């Protein structure tokens, strides 16, 4: 699941419109998830959803539009989980779109335990980050507790003893793009937004 719904207040435009070298970051993330072996990729859009659909090839993913994206990442996680209707899927890898240093190796590493009762998080310098892996047995609890801009954090805190930490420092960059300075550092840009989108 790729969360690409935020308005990008701190970076000057919707996260789903971020481009690197002319290629939309959401397309790169879809490719990364597919390369990692994810059998289904769900992209949760929100801000500028129609512009993203018109300018990005999303044919390799299931697209969900979170109309309540302005309430924070919690509603996007709920929308993404609700779209996973295939009952044979036992776990979901969750990543944000604003993470250009993510690699398929890191996704594979975190997704190596695809069991219904798993909770796993990548770590960078000992701090938890993305990708995260949520087993199916946790989905309803995560959806219930996911709120505002803290997403799954309340559920993860309540189940911290069950989380498997997986070091990804050596295989990925865990930075998320949350400032114009980081955008410049990673060579990212946001195309002009269309009025009314």
């Amino acid at each position: 699941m790729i969360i690409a719904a935020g308005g990008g207040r701190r970076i000057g435009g919707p996260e789903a419109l971020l481009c690197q070298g002319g290629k939309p970051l959401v397309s790169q993330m879809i490719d990364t998830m597919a390369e990692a072996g994810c059998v289904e990729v769900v992209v949760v859009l929100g801000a500028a959803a129609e512009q993203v659909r018109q300018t990005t090839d999303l044919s390799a993913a299931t697209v969900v539009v979170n109309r309540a994206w302005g309430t924070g990442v919690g509603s996007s996680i709920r929308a993404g989980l609700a779209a996973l209707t295939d009952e044979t899927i036992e776990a979901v890898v969750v990543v944000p779109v604003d993470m250009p240093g993510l690699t398929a190796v890191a996704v594979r590493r975190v997704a190596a335990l695809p069991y219904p009762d798993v909770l796993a998080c990548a770590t960078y310098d000992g701090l938890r980050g993305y990708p995260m892996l949520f087993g199916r047995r946790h989905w309803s609890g995560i959806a219930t507790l996911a709120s505002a801009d803290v997403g799954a954090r309340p559920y993860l805190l309540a189940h911290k003893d069950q989380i498997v930490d997986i070091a990804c420092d050596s295989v990925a960059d865990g930075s998320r793009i949350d400032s114009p300075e980081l955008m410049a550092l990673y060579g990212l840009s946001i195309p002009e937004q269309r009025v009314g989108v």
Side-chain angles (χ1 to χ4, degrees), residues 41-56:
V41 178
V42 172
V43 175
V44 183
L45 298 178
E50 284 313 307
Q51 184 172 347
V52 176
R53 282 182 144 157
Q54 290 167 19
T55 58
T56 308

Side-chain angles (χ1 to χ4, degrees), residues 10-11 30 33 56 60 62 66-67 82 85 89 98 109 118 126 156-158 174 178-179 181-182 186 190:
R10 289 178 293 219
I11 59 172
I30 290 170
M33 299 296 267
T56 308
T62 298
N66 174 19
R67 303 277 175 212
T85 55
I89 296 173
D98 59 355
R109 191 175 278 192
V118 72
L156 295 176
L157 283 172
D178 60 2
S179 71
E181 292 76 22
L182 278 176
Y186 285 88
I190 294 179

Side-chain angles (χ1 to χ4, degrees), residues 2 38 40 103-104 114-115 121-122 132 134 140 146 154 156 159 170 191-192:
I2 302 166
C38 296
E40 180 181 350
T103 63
Y115 304 115
C121 289
M132 295 180 180
F134 302 151
S140 63
L156 295 176
H159 297 81
S170 63
E192 188 176 335

Side-chain angles (χ1 to χ4, degrees), residues 14-96:
E15 293 153 10
L17 292 176
L18 281 166
C19 289
Q20 188 173 49
K23 182 175 181 179
L25 214 51
V26 68
S27 293
Q28 290 184 42
M29 200 63 79
I30 290 170
D31 292 346
T32 297
M33 299 296 267
E35 186 186 336
C38 296
V39 293
E40 180 181 350
V41 178
V42 172
V43 175
V44 183
L45 298 178
E50 284 313 307
Q51 184 172 347
V52 176
R53 282 182 144 157
Q54 290 167 19
T55 58
T56 308
D57 180 5
L58 301 171
S59 58
T62 298
V63 178
V64 179
V65 177
N66 174 19
R67 303 277 175 212
W69 64 267
T71 62
V73 71
S75 60
S76 293
I77 289 173
R78 281 195 296 278
L81 289 174
L84 296 171
T85 55
D86 181 345
E87 300 207 353
T88 64
I89 296 173
E90 296 197 323
V92 60
V93 184
V94 180
V95 298

